[in-house]
Amino acid sequence: MKTVLKNCNILTATNVFIGDILLEEGIIKEVGTDISCAGCEVVNVNGKYVLPGGVDQHVHFSFEYNGSKVRGFETSNAAAIGGTTTVIEFINQIKGKGLVESIEEYIKDQVEGVAMVDYSFHSVMTDPREEVIEEIPSLADKGYPTMKMFMAYKGMFFHSDDDAILKALLKGKKSGVTIMVHAENADMIDVLQKKLILEGKTGPYSHVLSRPPIVEAEATKRAIYLADLAEAPIYIVHVSCRDALEEIVNSYSKGSYVYGETCSHYLTLDESNLDKPDFEGAKYVCSPALRSKEHRDAMWEGIQKGWLNVVSSDHCGFDWKKQKHMGIDSFTNIPNGAPGLENRLAILWTYGVEQNKITKQKLVELFSTNPAKINGISHRKGDIAPGYDADLVVFDPSWEGIISNENSLQGVDYNPYEGMKQIGRVEKVFLRGNLIVDDAKYIGSQGDGELIKGKPYGMCYDEINIDEKLQNENAFA
């Protein structure tokens, strides 16, 4: 079936213009003016913005804490209602199994026939034996060209020491796999947590006290040094504080290949939320911790100036009443993470575009185009041009309302943005040409999503002459 969207205010990372968009067999066939199409379904957008479907490169549908699991892909329609048409999930390597095997087993058991938007995956190495390090190039071969490692969470099975990260950077560089890190100093956190508990400070706000900015800044700098030694790119996920941002900016200016993202909550929320009474503060326990206004302003500056190139949701769907209350006696037992999958576009528009902190084009860059490039899926996602997947969002900038969990599709019992003003909303969403959101309501079906395999040497490799570096290494081998 052919569909033509008429009278669109087309918004991309580089342009805003009036035009029409022709969709055919799941892809964008033509972008132009006064497109005529015999027998086409015509959708009159009436001048609303049309932007490429969002790519959320940081979501958690599989994370477990003490045997309790987040909401899975059965809630991925929350992405659609928020204008995100592709999510990229982190899959922990299963002990005794390979990196690729762990991903593909999860797809078969938890995703196929369930996902309501398109999906891709980051591997998370949890067992850095030599044979697992040697498997890293197979991630690129199989379409999973990114891998995350945790510098935080001392004693947990997914924590990685510096030697494992360095080995991964060296091996990843040779195959175009981008290594990502959660940068927090695990030993600093461990000492602070134990100290606070001994002092009887066990409530949610102690999470903030146990993870001050220096914890994040130190690990960020150390990760950059490891990448410098390997002459490889490194990606710092969920940057939250000025101190870590300064490490990225200073190192990049000296020639390091370091890049980073921040998240919606670090742009809008602050540490005072964790001090709410009646254990309400547990709703806001995430890592890194929420910061003060100074750091929040620094995150806006970071994305304005391109020092941080993506805004993700870091969506993690734990309930408050049951799951977050696992830590009622100690903040160290509160499951980390907060929902936010369906609010990312609304946050960026309301608190970014409407407050003149970012341009509309910058929003598209952060929301869709750059995450597609970083994760090797920009041959299909992240732009409005012929040949791209027909993932399109019709956005009404005139709508005003209040964010509420009452009508949320995230499947949990709270929203960290509850009661905040929202300007603009998603009216329609097309996923590969199929209408899955209409009149701001999800109308798609489970199983609509499909696997999008990524290509190696994503955006983080753009500034590296990898062939020259590999030749130099071989010369001394």
Side-chain angles (χ1 to χ4, degrees), residues 194-418:
K194 290 174 179 175
K195 178 177 180 291
L196 288 161
I197 290 171
L198 284 173
E199 294 171 351
K201 298 174 181 177
T202 59
Y205 191 77
S206 288
H207 180 75
V208 174
L209 302 177
S210 71
R211 300 176 115 95
I214 194 172
V215 164
E216 185 180 349
E218 188 283 329
T220 299
K221 183 61 177 176
R222 181 158 40 97
I224 294 169
Y225 276 139
L226 293 170
D228 286 349
L229 181 59
E231 294 186 306
I234 193 159
Y235 200 87
I236 313 297
V237 300
H238 48 44
V239 177
S240 74
C241 67
R242 178 179 291 279
D243 311 60
L245 177 61
E246 287 174 350
E247 296 292 356
I248 292 171
V249 174
N250 292 338
S251 296
Y252 183 83
S253 68
K254 296 175 183 176
S256 297
Y257 307 114
V258 56
Y259 310 89
E261 66 168 11
T262 191
C263 301
S264 316
H265 41 289
Y266 299 125
L267 295 171
T268 51
L269 305 177
D270 63 53
E271 60 189 24
S272 66
N273 287 281
L274 284 88
D275 207 23
K276 290 183 176 181
D278 301 321
F279 205 60
E280 289 277 337
K283 296 176 178 180
Y284 303 90
V285 169
C286 58
S287 294
L290 295 177
R291 308 295 185 192
S292 65
K293 183 179 183 300
E294 170 198 357
H295 297 288
R296 193 172 67 212
D297 291 344
M299 295 304 99
W300 281 111
E301 182 183 10
I303 63 174
Q304 288 162 0
K305 295 182 176 178
W307 299 332
L308 301 172
N309 57 23
V310 169
V311 174
S312 300
S313 71
D314 197 3
H315 173 80
C316 197
F318 283 117
D319 264 336
W320 174 67
K321 288 183 179 178
K322 291 185 179 179
Q323 293 171 303
K324 289 281 188 175
H325 272 72
M326 293 165 64
I328 188 69
D329 296 321
S330 173
F331 70 95
T332 60
N333 293 324
I334 300 172
N336 280 212
L341 181 63
E342 67 187 18
N343 305 115
R344 188 170 60 116
L345 177 56
I347 292 295
L348 281 170
W349 189 276
T350 305
Y351 298 95
V353 174
E354 289 290 338
Q355 295 187 15
N356 296 315
K357 292 179 178 177
I358 56 172
T359 66
K360 293 183 284 290
Q361 293 95 321
K362 173 64 78 170
L363 179 149
V364 175
E365 179 183 292
L366 298 164
F367 177 72
S368 179
T369 305
N370 277 355
K373 290 179 178 179
I374 289 161
N375 295 281
I377 59 173
S378 59
H379 56 295
R380 294 184 60 177
K381 308 293 185 180
D383 203 358
I384 297 177
Y388 278 79
D389 283 4
D391 296 350
L392 300 170
V393 177
V394 178
F395 185 80
D396 179 4
S398 66
W399 187 90
E400 294 192 15
I402 299 297
I403 296 174
S404 172
N405 197 56
E406 184 177 351
N407 298 314
S408 172
L409 299 179
Q410 294 175 148
V412 293
D413 60 1
Y414 79 100
N415 188 312
Y417 308 107
E418 185 77 30

Side-chain angles (χ1 to χ4, degrees), residues 51-71:
L51 57 150
V55 177
D56 195 339
Q57 69 175 18
H58 197 145
V59 302
H60 297 280
F61 287 127
S62 60
F63 184 65
E64 293 188 24
Y65 181 80
N66 282 350
S68 191
K69 185 177 177 294
V70 297
R71 303 301 179 270

